[in-house]
Amino acid sequence: MQKLLSYLRRGVDDYKMINENDHITVGVSGGKDSLALLYGLAKIRDFYPKKFKLSAVTLSMGYEEMNFDRVAQLCESLDVEYVLKETDIAQILFEIRKETNPCSLCAKMRRGALHDAALELGSHKVALGHHNDDALETFMLSLVYEGRVNCFSPVTYLDRKDITLIRPMLYAPESYIAGFSKRYDLPVVKNLCPADKHTKREYVKDLVKQLERENPGFKTRLFTAIEGSHAGNFGIFPE
């Protein structure tokens, strides 16, 4: 637990992610990453010097087999307001539009729905569960498929909706989060998306793992390169 809180506290403090009286909405997909983020932020809330309110939103994509009851129970135990928002995103992607490469459109639709749900709660700050490996993979995706050096920012302000996105788990490796999820029996909900595990990101994930095996320390060096020389400012790789 202390290690997770250390990763979160470092990310929050380094990039000044939390201000006094913030109302933060955690986007909870039901995956291990967002659940670990929710759990960690709920624990940090108890002692962090700046007081903040915490809510959680899950977008139901329209897969009837996915059950979020245990996620709701976790939120109740953590004293976190929980909203399960019904959407028809899956139907639009796979039945109406019959998308063969749905990931980009899906991400756009999920972002819009999550931001709207946060605003309905009176929240203008959204926390996402992206971790250290996500940053590395995003950078490699951009490099391999777009010919650009680019990565998401730890803090991103969206002026059109007056929402700030924060990624407190920026320093946490995925391997640690996976272990934490098992140790604390987090209520992970299996992703039923037909495109899951068959994406460019999955290919890049495997590529990064291979490069780390062949060149120990590669991931650490790559992250240092992403941070750049501007006092750790990801702004040199704007979103």
Side-chain angles (χ1 to χ4, degrees):
M1 170 63 74
Q2 290 304 315
K3 196 168 185 178
L4 175 67
L5 299 187
S6 175
Y7 284 131
L8 287 174
R9 183 71 184 263
R10 181 183 168 197
V12 166
D13 288 348
D14 280 1
Y15 292 98
K16 300 178 177 59
M17 295 183 181
I18 297 179
N19 299 315
E20 187 72 30
N21 296 321
D22 270 346
H23 180 176
I24 302 173
T25 296
V26 182
V28 179
S29 66
K32 67 183 189 314
D33 306 331
S34 59
L35 289 170
L37 173 62
L38 171 67
Y39 198 99
L41 284 178
K43 297 303 179 182
I44 282 180
R45 178 187 55 184
D46 296 337
F47 62 83
Y48 196 67
K50 296 178 181 178
K51 302 301 179 185
F52 63 92
K53 179 180 177 181
L54 204 57
S55 300
V57 169
T58 295
L59 302 177
S60 175
M61 303 286 287
Y63 304 112
E64 294 182 1
E65 298 86 351
M66 297 181 73
N67 187 304
F68 296 96
D69 288 351
R70 290 187 64 217
V71 176
Q73 292 168 9
L74 174 64
C75 288
E76 184 177 3
S77 71
L78 295 172
D79 191 25
V80 173
E81 180 182 14
Y82 179 64
V83 173
L84 176 61
K85 185 179 180 64
E86 300 291 339
T87 78
D88 54 2
I89 293 176
Q91 181 184 10
I92 293 172
L93 292 174
F94 298 110
E95 296 179 22
I96 298 175
R97 294 178 61 100
K98 302 185 186 302
E99 293 282 337
T100 55
N101 297 294
C103 298
S104 178
L105 178 59
C106 179
K108 183 177 181 180
M109 294 177 70
R110 286 188 290 112
R111 282 196 300 267
L114 175 60
H115 298 167
D116 289 343
L119 292 174
E120 289 170 8
L121 290 170
S123 168
H124 289 266
K125 187 163 285 187
V126 173
L128 303 174
H130 296 137
H131 46 63
N132 187 263
D133 290 75
D134 284 327
L136 304 182
E137 292 157 15
T138 298
F139 176 84
M140 292 294 288
L141 273 166
S142 180
L143 184 64
V144 172
Y145 291 106
E146 300 174 2
R148 297 189 300 148
V149 284
N150 185 57
C151 186
F152 54 68
S153 298
V155 178
T156 306
Y157 177 64
L158 307 175
D159 56 358
R160 285 189 297 177
K161 288 201 172 183
D162 189 25
I163 283 180
T164 299
L165 306 180
I166 61 174
R167 296 173 169 92
M169 294 207 300
L170 184 68
Y171 294 118
E174 184 176 20
S175 58
Y176 173 78
I177 295 169
F180 179 88
S181 174
K182 291 179 180 177
R183 283 194 302 275
Y184 284 84
D185 191 28
L186 297 184
V188 173
V189 179
K190 180 177 174 55
N191 186 356
L192 297 180
C193 174
D196 189 38
K197 306 300 184 185
H198 301 283
T199 63
K200 290 179 179 178
R201 179 171 288 275
E202 197 65 25
Y203 166 76
V204 167
K205 179 188 289 288
D206 291 339
L207 176 61
V208 170
K209 288 179 180 178
Q210 179 182 341
L211 288 169
E212 176 66 23
R213 286 194 301 270
E214 296 173 352
N215 307 275
F218 167 77
K219 290 166 70 173
T220 299
R221 293 190 294 274
L222 180 59
F223 188 72
T224 300
I226 293 172
E227 283 189 298
S229 59
H230 292 233
N233 186 345
F234 275 58
I236 58 173
F237 299 128
E239 192 172 32

